[in-house]
Amino acid sequence: MQDHPGSRPFRVERALQAELLMDRAQLRLLHVFTPEARGVADAARALDVTTEWLYKRVRRLERAGLLTVQDTRPRAGRAIRRYRAVAETFFVPFSLVPPETVGRHNRARHLDLFETAIGRTFREAPFDQAGWGFVTARTSGGDVSLRIVREDGVRWADLGDAAPVMVSGWHLLHLGAGDARELQGELRALHERFARRSGDGTYLLGIFLADTTDLNGLEHAKPRRDA
């Protein structure tokens, strides 16, 4: 292990290493082998996957030079290899992986997972009962939106503990630079606050904020100027 508290990240120089590290799924696997070395079976139990499934991926990370065999220990009459990541943190320069490509790949993978989870939510209570749908609305900022409501006007968010846990939607905001940076900071702080907590459930959170000023495709979404 080449890291210690306060050390600089391991600088990646190989394209294959960069490709694997920029894949969040591969990075999560690698993280299991830091900071302590582990056998494949032990790591598989921690990840709740089969040893066979994980072994193939461990071998790939090892061939790429991201995992190394720290030692071999006898167990039940045979030698067990214990693997450890070559570093705890890595620096991958933009020259190896264009940032827009990395972001697109990871967002697409997680968006697919998000859509699958949302689809499951809409097949369960309370949405498995008749009367639910979308109503078109205008936001306080002047944009248009779709809200989930029951025909009698009840919003799903008003159901309290009976409402499913989900947030979904894209919102166009018309802000000054100062307000945009304030929002950026608050979103980061909100994520950090809950990331430090632990519980039995697993929730996928996506946070997106980008300056779309003068980008094609949003000509119809200019700020509304009401008289």
Side-chain angles (χ1 to χ4, degrees):
M1 179 72 66
Q2 300 186 25
D3 281 317
H4 55 79
S7 66
R8 298 182 64 182
F10 177 88
R11 182 181 174 88
V12 172
E13 303 290 351
R14 295 166 52 188
L16 177 58
Q17 291 178 333
E19 178 185 343
L20 291 171
L21 289 169
M22 292 298 96
D23 186 326
R24 294 282 290 277
Q26 298 294 330
L27 190 58
R28 289 186 179 112
L29 293 180
L30 187 63
H31 182 70
V32 176
F33 297 92
T34 59
E36 302 296 331
R38 308 179 82 157
V40 174
D42 180 33
R45 285 191 293 271
L47 292 169
D48 195 25
V49 298
T50 66
T51 300
E52 294 75 14
W53 182 91
L54 182 58
Y55 181 73
K56 295 178 181 178
R57 288 154 179 83
V58 165
R59 290 288 292 138
R60 186 183 185 194
L61 292 170
E62 182 186 16
R63 288 193 297 268
L66 296 173
L67 272 181
T68 185
V69 178
Q70 176 171 292
D71 55 39
T72 303
R73 295 186 177 182
R75 181 182 300 171
R78 63 194 187 100
I80 302 297
R81 291 181 174 183
R82 297 202 315 145
Y83 295 88
R84 192 177 188 184
V86 299
E88 289 190 29
T89 57
F90 300 84
F91 175 77
V92 182
F94 285 170
S95 58
L96 287 179
V97 281
E100 66 276 12
T101 301
V102 173
R104 187 176 297 114
H105 171 78
N106 282 308
R107 282 190 294 272
R109 173 171 292 186
H110 286 85
L111 182 59
D112 183 64
L113 179 60
F114 174 80
E115 294 295 349
T116 300
I118 286 293
R120 181 180 64 182
T121 297
F122 282 122
R123 293 191 298 272
E124 299 173 346
F127 304 127
D128 57 349
Q129 302 173 13
W132 286 95
F134 296 98
V135 64
T136 61
R138 183 173 291 278
T139 69
S140 58
D143 196 13
V144 293
S145 67
L146 299 174
R147 295 178 180 173
I148 302 172
V149 299
R150 209 165 55 193
E151 278 191 285
D152 59 4
V154 173
R155 301 184 305 172
W156 69 272
D158 295 333
L159 298 179
D161 290 343
V165 177
M166 67 172 185
V167 177
S168 176
W170 292 93
H171 304 280
L172 289 174
L173 305 177
H174 304 288
L175 305 173
D179 286 338
R181 292 190 182 280
E182 181 181 351
L183 175 59
Q184 174 182 258
E186 290 188 12
L187 289 173
R188 285 177 173 173
L190 182 63
H191 167 258
E192 287 297 324
R193 179 157 62 92
F194 284 90
R196 288 190 291 267
R197 302 185 185 184
S198 180
D200 297 330
T202 302
Y203 298 88
L204 178 63
L205 171 67
I207 301 176
F208 308 99
L209 177 65
D211 184 354
T212 58
T213 305
D214 297 328
L215 288 184
N216 293 331
L218 293 176
E219 294 82 3
H220 61 290
K222 301 299 183 184
R224 184 180 180 184
R225 307 297 184 186
D226 291 331

